[in-house]
Amino acid sequence: MSEKTALLKALTIRMLIFSCIVFLLGIIIMPDVWAYGKGILFGTVFSILKLKLMENSFSTAVTKEPNKAKIYANVQYLIRYLLTGIVLVVGVLEPGIHIVGVILGLLSMKVAAYWYAKNQKPTPKDGSVAFEEWEEEEESTDF
């Protein structure tokens, strides 16, 4: 399995775990659990699809010239956010889908990304593989 595939799989699993936890908490709080669950499902599925769109746009952008890659990446970014806006509008207008569930489903990608980054080993800014933490040295005084 390639590193990119492993990253996408790890993020997707974390998104699903977050969505399940939020759903279980919502069972206690939300009056209409069915609509809330559909909202979380709708938002989470869209977030997973958006993650795949991001992967495709990054893979394509790195093969282009720098100026064309920048334009391409910006257009793809705007398309993803336009689609996110459409999903939010559908969540607001559709009475069978709870908007809070949609929003939490959409936030699952952010939570998964922070969760994944938190579990990674720190790397130094110079890009080298080895990372050694600074050890505090005892100060000696020469009196």
Side-chain angles (χ1 to χ4, degrees), residues 6-136:
L7 172 65
L8 290 175
K9 184 177 179 181
L11 287 174
T12 302
I13 289 171
R14 284 171 170 80
M15 289 166 69
L16 292 172
I17 291 171
F18 172 76
S19 296
C20 288
I21 291 170
V22 168
F23 175 72
L24 292 174
L25 292 173
I27 289 175
I28 301 167
I29 300 169
M30 292 295 173
D32 189 1
V33 177
W34 181 246
Y36 177 71
K38 287 194 294 186
I40 288 180
L41 182 65
F42 185 53
T44 303
V45 167
F46 178 74
S47 288
I48 292 170
L49 292 174
K50 196 164 72 166
L51 183 66
K52 185 67 177 163
L53 285 173
M54 288 173 66
E55 178 212 354
N56 290 341
S57 68
F58 293 155
S59 296
T60 305
V62 297
T63 62
K64 295 182 179 282
E65 296 175 11
N67 289 337
K68 289 182 180 180
K70 183 177 180 180
I71 293 169
Y72 178 80
N74 286 335
V75 168
Q76 293 299 312
Y77 174 80
L78 290 174
I79 289 171
R80 285 193 305 272
Y81 274 93
L82 178 66
L83 291 173
T84 303
I86 292 170
V87 166
L88 287 170
V89 168
V90 169
V92 167
L93 297 178
E94 176 61 38
I97 298 176
H98 202 287
I99 187 64
V100 173
V102 173
I103 292 170
L104 290 172
L106 290 173
L107 287 175
S108 67
M109 188 185 327
K110 294 265 188 213
V111 172
Y114 283 120
W115 183 5
Y116 182 81
K118 182 77 173 160
N119 292 337
Q120 295 302 306
K121 292 180 181 178
T123 56
K125 292 183 181 184
D126 65 358
S128 63
V129 178
F131 183 80
E132 296 179 19
E133 294 186 26
W134 290 83
E135 295 182 16
E136 293 197 25

